[in-house]
């Protein structure tokens, strides 16, 4: 993702039931380009099941949800 200015960023993975599975980012980040990889683990380090998940990206002035498929 690409940030146009320094802002608070929250990037989270949710399952189809709307339950949060993993927080990937939750901090202030400077302007620039970033890459994040999710290795199919939950917040406790457990492997999650193959299937559909939602990725929620939030900043102070923007929010977007994308569907993704985890294949093992």
């Amino acid at each position: 993702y690409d940030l146009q200015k320094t802002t608070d960023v929250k990037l989270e993975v949710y399952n189809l039931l709307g339950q949060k599975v993993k927080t990937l980012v939750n901090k202030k980040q400077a302007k620039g380009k970033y890459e994040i990889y999710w290795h199919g683990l939950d917040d406790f380090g457990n492997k999650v099941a193959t299937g559909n998940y939602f990725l929620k990206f939030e900043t102070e002035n923007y929010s977007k949800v994308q569907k993704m498929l985890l294949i093992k």
Side-chain angles (χ1 to χ4, degrees):
Y1 55 95
D2 189 12
L3 299 177
Q4 300 300 314
K5 65 178 185 173
T6 298
T7 187
D8 290 323
V9 175
K10 188 181 280 189
L11 191 57
E12 298 174 317
V13 178
Y14 290 85
N15 64 20
L16 290 177
L17 299 176
Q19 300 164 322
K20 186 176 70 155
V21 173
K22 176 78 173 174
T23 300
L24 299 172
V25 176
N26 188 13
K27 63 181 178 181
K28 185 174 285 276
Q29 291 187 309
K31 176 182 175 180
K33 293 185 180 195
Y34 296 87
E35 288 187 15
I36 287 288
Y37 296 95
W38 178 45
H39 300 286
L41 303 176
D42 65 14
D43 277 333
F44 303 104
N46 302 312
K47 291 181 181 179
V48 299
T50 295
N52 290 301
Y53 291 87
F54 294 101
L55 180 66
K56 184 176 182 182
F57 175 80
E58 277 186 303
T59 66
E60 295 168 4
N61 299 316
Y62 180 79
S63 180
K64 183 174 183 175
V65 175
Q66 284 188 259
K67 189 175 181 180
M68 59 183 180
L69 177 62
L70 176 65
I71 301 173
K72 295 184 181 181

